[in-house]
Amino acid sequence: MRSNLQIIWQHLSPSDKIETKIRKHIAKLEKFADRLSDCRVVIAVPHRHHHQGNICHVQINLTVPGSELVINRQPPDQQTHENLHIAIRDAFESAERQLKDYTQQRRSEIKTHVRGESDDRDPIPQSL
């Protein structure tokens, strides 16, 4: 692995099995961005008093040239999981999407509007 990986465990004990899974996900991300320099993964189980089980949060910080991508989807209705494996999978799927978007923008495959540039859909006609 070329990038520096840091895994932070909050309120749960480290697991070799989960660390191996994370390393596989990082290796896959490196295929999309060859200049990925740092990766920090925070795995947290913030509350231990739920009726149905512990809620898992996964945050991923990726350092790429000129930017840092933060994947931290925590709205209760979308990204809280009782199953740590599902939380990790979903976080890395989101990281993959963001990393693909970032690399496309860096390659200028996605048009970005320059300030002052207008597109063809002007809502107010210039002359009547």
Side-chain angles (χ1 to χ4, degrees):
M1 180 167 74
R2 293 170 290 188
S3 61
N4 298 324
L5 173 62
Q6 180 183 18
I7 301 174
I8 298 170
W9 306 87
Q10 293 181 346
H11 307 291
L12 74 157
S13 57
S15 165
D16 290 336
K17 182 179 177 182
I18 292 181
E19 185 173 337
T20 302
K21 183 176 188 168
I22 289 171
R23 288 185 185 278
K24 287 181 182 178
H25 282 292
I26 295 299
K28 185 176 178 184
L29 290 179
E30 287 177 335
K31 293 178 183 177
F32 299 112
D34 56 346
R35 295 177 45 183
L36 180 65
S37 60
D38 290 319
C39 179
R40 180 177 184 213
V41 180
V42 179
I43 301 172
V45 182
H47 305 286
R48 295 183 177 249
H49 303 290
H50 290 281
H51 294 291
Q52 294 183 348
N54 294 332
I55 303 297
C56 306
H57 295 287
V58 178
Q59 177 179 334
I60 304 169
N61 298 346
L62 301 173
T63 304
V64 291
S67 186
E68 182 175 0
L69 304 176
V70 178
I71 296 84
N72 186 21
R73 299 171 55 199
Q74 289 190 8
D77 59 337
Q78 292 180 4
Q79 282 303 129
T80 55
H81 297 287
E82 292 180 21
N83 187 329
L84 181 57
H85 296 282
I86 293 172
I88 291 170
R89 180 201 66 201
D90 288 352
F92 275 98
E93 284 177 356
S94 179
E96 184 178 326
R97 284 190 301 273
Q98 286 189 28
L99 198 54
K100 284 179 180 178
D101 289 345
Y102 168 81
T103 55
Q104 286 177 344
Q105 286 177 347
R106 292 285 289 190
R107 293 179 186 153
S108 299
E109 293 174 5
I110 295 177
K111 181 178 179 182
T112 55
H113 292 280
V114 179
R115 187 178 183 126
E117 180 181 323
S118 64
D119 48 359
D120 296 334
R121 298 170 290 151
D122 193 2
I124 302 172
Q126 297 298 326
S127 60
L128 290 175

